[in-house]
Amino acid sequence: MAGPPPPVPIPGARLLFSLDPAVAHLNHGSYGAVPIGVQRAQQRLRDETEANPVRFFNRGLIDRITHARRHLAGFLGADPDGTALIGNVTVGAAIVLRSLGLEPGDEVLCTDHGYGSFALSIDREARLTGAVRRTLSVPLTATDEEIVEIVRTGIRPGRTKLLVVDQLTSPTARLFPAAAIAAVARERGVPILVDGAHAPGMLPTPVEGIGADFWVGNLHKWGFAPRGTAALVVAPRWRRRIEPLAVSWYDEDGFPTRVEWQATLDYTAWLAAPVGVYTLRTLGLDTVRAYNAGLAAYGQWVVGRALGIAPADLVDPGGPTVSMRVLPLPAGVATTVADAVALRHRISDELGTEVNVNAWRDQGWLRLSGQVYNRPEEYGRLADGLPALLATLS
């Protein structure tokens, strides 16, 4: 059975990055890759900072952050006045949890597709407040309607004080029906936090139309921003209640400045982030998304074939712009976090390929990303070498 055809590379896109050409970088979803032009823009800002730190921090920096925020909020489809720039989505989750005022007996509801650090953040807040985390089990192949129904029946009005769902899941690369889930949460009177870590740059205007009380997303993954650039979007009724993790001189200015200003933080990543958006627009947003999604689908098929996985058993994330795909590893392989990390390192060292390996539901999963600097033959080389490497683990 023929698989999906490999997409035609975007001319010149690979030259925009400083990645080691001897390595196949098939794990863009974990840390992203910063284009050379964005790196240089940030370096110029760092040079400006070090030339006169007092001037940089004290003259107009708030206005520059506001300008960058407005540019990025427009890209996300978010209200600039309800958006704060932060370091990453885990910081955003911690801010939201701290601002809720959880009490003993309250519960935070999430799914088993969530990112690990979110669960850890919820557990920490639970220990401090007496609240609890409850996790809903969602089958990997569940339909959107089934996911919504699982959430609907899982909410316990009066006890559930926050619902946390992913827009695009990290361990399983599954596109969740975030807008429909948010609508259910509103019907049940429960605030919702949407983890959109992978959404900026991959999904068009990912905030627009969701209707979430809180949304967080990283721009340093698929948005080509420097690392340490993320956004926390808050609905109007919650903005006065948002508490930063540390108090700053601008605390009385309210949201979003009280969250953004953290003294001598390195703000150059945020200020350079619009250059990443410009790079995406120059390449063509639709062109980039189509290439990345097509490449991820091709990579999943060619590696899956090498592992003996039938095409009918390949998991389709259900979205034309989803640029990550997962493959189940053989039984008994990478079933723990430690084993998954060890396998990831072996694939890197022995096959010259960076991939993501996760242990989810006592099963090892290989996650492949597609990005404009990747080529179809890189997935082919992984397919050629991976079966023999896995055979040494059985």
Side-chain angles (χ1 to χ4, degrees):
M1 180 179 178
V8 178
I10 301 172
R14 192 182 186 100
L15 300 176
L16 297 176
F17 297 85
S18 56
L19 294 164
D20 183 353
V23 177
H25 302 272
L26 308 184
N27 187 19
H28 185 89
S30 283
Y31 300 105
V34 184
I36 295 170
V38 181
Q39 294 179 42
R40 291 175 176 170
Q42 185 179 18
Q43 187 57 53
R44 287 193 295 270
L45 288 160
R46 285 173 170 158
D47 291 342
E48 179 189 345
T49 305
E50 299 310 323
N52 192 333
V54 173
R55 177 180 290 273
F56 179 83
F57 281 99
N58 288 325
R59 297 195 186 184
L61 181 54
I62 292 292
D63 290 338
R64 295 171 76 174
I65 293 171
T66 300
H67 177 77
R69 181 213 312 145
R70 291 188 176 280
H71 187 101
L72 298 173
F75 177 64
L76 298 173
D79 176 5
D81 294 329
T83 303
L85 297 180
I86 54 177
N88 57 55
V89 296
T90 308
V91 171
I95 291 171
V96 171
L97 289 165
R98 183 61 54 86
S99 302
L100 284 176
L102 294 173
E103 298 178 347
D106 292 342
E107 71 174 23
V108 177
L109 186 63
C110 56
T111 80
D112 59 355
H113 292 251
Y115 191 58
S117 68
F118 265 57
L120 293 173
S121 191
I122 295 169
D123 289 346
R124 183 189 69 171
E125 199 64 26
R127 288 194 301 271
L128 295 173
T129 62
V132 297
R133 170 171 63 92
R134 189 161 62 89
T135 303
L136 299 174
S137 178
V138 177
L140 183 59
T141 56
T143 65
D144 285 356
E145 292 77 13
E146 289 170 340
I147 294 173
V148 171
E149 189 57 30
I150 289 170
V151 172
R152 185 193 307 276
T153 57
I155 291 174
R156 298 193 289 202
R159 290 198 60 185
T160 305
K161 299 301 181 180
L162 181 68
L163 170 65
V164 181
V165 297
D166 293 68
Q167 198 163 9
L168 179 67
T169 66
S170 178
T172 57
R174 179 67 164 82
L175 188 67
F176 268 35
I181 294 173
V184 167
R186 286 194 299 273
E187 291 171 3
R188 308 300 297 273
V190 173
I192 180 172
L193 166 61
V194 173
D195 176 3
H198 291 273
M202 188 191 297
L203 306 180
T205 54
V207 177
E208 191 174 59
I210 296 294
D213 297 88
F214 313 100
W215 181 97
V216 287
N218 288 325
L219 285 123
H220 56 246
K221 291 181 182 286
W222 306 91
F224 287 171
R227 292 174 197 87
T229 306
L232 166 63
V233 183
V234 179
R237 71 187 185 100
W238 290 98
R239 292 172 191 171
R240 289 183 178 275
R241 294 179 56 178
I242 292 296
E243 296 284 347
L245 298 182
V247 176
S248 75
W249 283 105
Y250 286 88
D251 190 63
E252 294 184 358
D253 283 33
F255 187 85
T257 305
R258 71 186 309 202
V259 169
E260 291 176 332
W261 186 258
Q262 294 295 311
T264 51
L265 185 73
D266 183 356
Y267 300 98
T268 61
W270 301 354
L271 300 183
V275 182
V277 174
Y278 173 79
T279 304
L280 275 172
R281 294 191 187 281
T282 299
L283 290 171
L285 286 167
D286 290 341
T287 299
V288 169
R289 289 168 181 148
Y291 179 77
N292 292 351
L295 195 58
Y298 172 79
Q300 182 193 45
W301 177 80
V302 72
V303 177
R305 182 179 61 177
L307 297 180
I309 301 173
D313 294 331
L314 296 177
V315 178
D316 183 348
T321 67
V322 174
S323 307
M324 300 190 300
R325 296 287 182 109
V326 295
L327 288 161
L329 293 169
V333 172
T335 58
T336 67
V337 173
D339 287 346
V341 171
L343 177 57
R344 187 174 72 232
H345 290 170
R346 284 196 63 186
I347 294 172
S348 175
D349 295 341
E350 298 176 30
L351 303 181
T353 302
E354 298 294 348
V355 297
N356 187 269
V357 181
N358 288 305
W360 185 72
R361 287 191 178 180
D362 300 319
Q363 165 81 54
W365 296 84
L366 179 76
R367 192 188 74 191
L368 299 173
S369 297
Q371 188 49 270
V372 295
Y373 50 75
N374 293 130
R375 296 292 183 269
E377 56 268 24
E378 294 176 316
Y379 303 88
R381 288 197 298 271
L382 175 63
D384 291 341
L386 187 58
L389 190 156
L390 295 178
T392 67
L393 302 177
S394 58

